[in-house]
Amino acid sequence: MLNYGIGTWVNRRAQRMREDAAIAFRDQRIGYNELDERILRLADALRTRGVQHGDRVAYLGNNHPSFVEALFATTMLGAIFVPLNTRLAAPEIEFAVDNSGAETLIFQNTLGELARAGTWSTAATRRICVGETDLPGVEDYDAVVASGAAEYRDNAVSLDDAALILYTSGTTGYPKGAVLTHGNLTWNTFNALVDYGLGSGEVVLLISPMFHVASLGMGALPILLQGGTVILREKFDPGDVLHTIESEGVTMLSGVPTTYQMIEEHPDWAATDLSSLRHLTCGGSTMPQRMLEAYEKRGLHFSCGYGMTETSPGATAMPPHMSIEKMGSSGLKQFFTDVKVVDEDGGMLPPGEVGEILVSGPNVIHEYWLRPEATAEAIVDGWLHTGDLGYLDEDGYLFVVDRLKDMIISGGENIYSAEVEGAIMQIPEVSAVALIGVPDAKWGEVPLAVATLDPGATITPADVIARLQGRLAKYKIPREVVFVDELPRTASGKIRKAELRKAYAS
């Protein structure tokens, strides 16, 4: 045995559960045997086209069986999978592809224009399209799969080899590529199996895109390792979620508070049979008390958690039976992970005292792609400095209270202020800007920009928003821009964002 990576998981599971459904998509039921054959063929086809150990393969698409096939085929070869966020603008896509050095791109035909605009000037000249396209120089995905041999090759892949590069929003204006190893993803999967009690008969409904690590790491990978069924949805629709839970016997659902709120507010909520649900996981932000109680009344308990891309993504998880008693907490450290809270000097703080949250364990990344300075800053003596503030209570439950990095979480999407502020500062008329998160009933919080203008400038708030279109993902663009004469600053010149949050909180 040479291959210890995640790429072999479906192949090993197919030997045990050949005809059992691995994936359900639209009206398709794809058994483990069929999925394994397609992965083997794609892996061989990529190999014959020049993809080798350590090469990067980018994927631009929504939840689709080809995402799963490309992930396992790429990692089976020891190559590195680079899933791209489909909500990004073309320049952001281009940066990720350029930075990763991907020479192979697999994309869905529905995103053909974004693929062309974002990657045609990059080194990703080996292009494969899922679905029909009239773009020149592009191979058909199904034809590529059919061209490969359905033969397992025991490639040498270690747990320390890179499996994924996931790009996180940049705190300094440029995204960072978090390198997740096969070991990171394996140990994160073990954490999920232990802390959530996942078995072989699970049916998970993925309503969040797999290019986000939470959907992939806490949903798809654990379920496929255990031989369960992954139901893929290309977009979130609360009515469809309720119907699918009842008709398919869904046992696991992952989401963010916004999605759970929209499900609970749907007209079919009260009449839908939810008795099959055993696992509800939630991340992104704290679940409001009203929502916890609404689900508790239906006999459903949440396992809210804390984590990030750099932890693959789990760091803590809430035992479901404690969700009300420890309301506001993100739970206990995961089984194979350690969490501590430290002061500015790195000293461990006692229960109840607020400091920076640090995470350590085999699920924590070792590096950012080609960013040694960022790696050295974030990972010190084996501990990931999250930049988040929180405290541990007497029972070891983590409470996250603030964010050092000024990150805004809107509908489960991370928005880093520095990245958006940098884009706004490229508008000539703007002299200074601060981006803050303000409360929003639907999305939890949304970005708001407070800016000052150069003397005599005639630009309007609508002009600022319009100039960001196509340069930033839509969810990063401020919902509102406010012009002020002067931004509040400290003696050293730093903008007092706390004052702005207080002023615009309502």
Side-chain angles (χ1 to χ4, degrees), residues 196-255:
Y196 301 148
L198 302 178
S200 61
E202 306 292 351
V203 178
V204 64
L205 173 59
L206 292 189
I207 57 176
S208 300
M210 286 186 290
F211 54 68
H212 281 318
V213 68
S215 186
L216 180 62
M218 307 307 278
L221 290 180
I223 297 303
L224 290 172
L225 179 66
Q226 285 289 69
T229 301
V230 177
I231 302 177
L232 298 177
R233 286 292 182 266
E234 297 159 284
K235 62 181 181 179
F236 169 69
D237 177 84
D240 173 70
V241 170
L242 289 167
H243 171 75
T244 304
I245 291 171
E246 182 173 281
S247 62
E248 299 288 344
V250 172
T251 64
M252 183 179 182
L253 189 65
S254 298

Side-chain angles (χ1 to χ4, degrees), residues 245-296:
I245 291 171
E246 182 173 281
S247 62
E248 299 288 344
V250 172
T251 64
M252 183 179 182
L253 189 65
S254 298
V256 296
T258 299
T259 56
Y260 284 115
Q261 177 182 340
M262 295 173 70
I263 292 169
E264 188 268 338
E265 291 176 348
H266 193 273
D268 294 341
W269 164 258
T272 301
D273 181 3
L274 305 177
S275 59
S276 63
L277 279 177
R278 298 194 296 267
H279 315 285
L280 294 177
T281 64
C282 181
S285 57
T286 303
M287 180 68 73
Q289 179 176 351
R290 187 192 73 80
M291 293 304 301
L292 285 173
E293 293 175 345
Y295 279 79
E296 291 269 347

Side-chain angles (χ1 to χ4, degrees), residues 48-208:
T48 60
R49 284 161 176 77
V51 176
Q52 302 178 25
H53 190 287
D55 288 349
R56 278 74 67 200
V57 175
Y59 182 95
L60 180 65
N62 296 305
N63 287 354
H64 188 274
S66 60
F67 184 109
V68 179
E69 293 165 0
L71 164 67
F72 284 101
T74 299
T75 54
M76 180 180 285
L77 294 172
I80 305 170
F81 191 61
V82 186
L84 302 168
N85 187 332
T86 62
R87 298 181 64 184
L88 297 181
E92 297 169 307
I93 295 289
E94 183 176 3
F95 174 85
V97 175
D98 267 337
N99 182 257
S100 69
E103 296 181 351
T104 302
L105 171 71
I106 301 173
F107 66 96
Q108 287 182 293
N109 61 348
T110 53
L111 295 165
E113 179 53 34
L114 179 60
R116 186 199 61 75
T119 69
W120 253 235
S121 62
T122 71
T125 55
R126 187 184 297 117
R127 302 163 187 150
I128 302 169
C129 182
V130 180
E132 295 183 0
T133 182
D134 56 5
L135 290 170
V138 178
E139 289 192 87
D140 176 76
Y141 177 80
D142 283 330
V144 169
V145 172
S147 72
E151 177 184 349
Y152 177 75
R153 294 173 180 266
D154 193 19
N155 304 296
V157 180
S158 78
L159 291 177
D160 290 330
D161 286 338
L164 302 179
I165 300 176
L166 292 173
Y167 281 85
T168 66
S169 296
T171 58
T172 57
Y174 294 99
K176 293 179 293 188
V179 180
L180 277 63
T181 66
H182 290 265
N184 292 153
L185 294 167
T186 298
W187 283 102
N188 178 80
T189 297
F190 291 164
N191 274 339
L193 297 182
V194 173
D195 287 328
Y196 301 148
L198 302 178
S200 61
E202 306 292 351
V203 178
V204 64
L205 173 59
L206 292 189
I207 57 176
S208 300

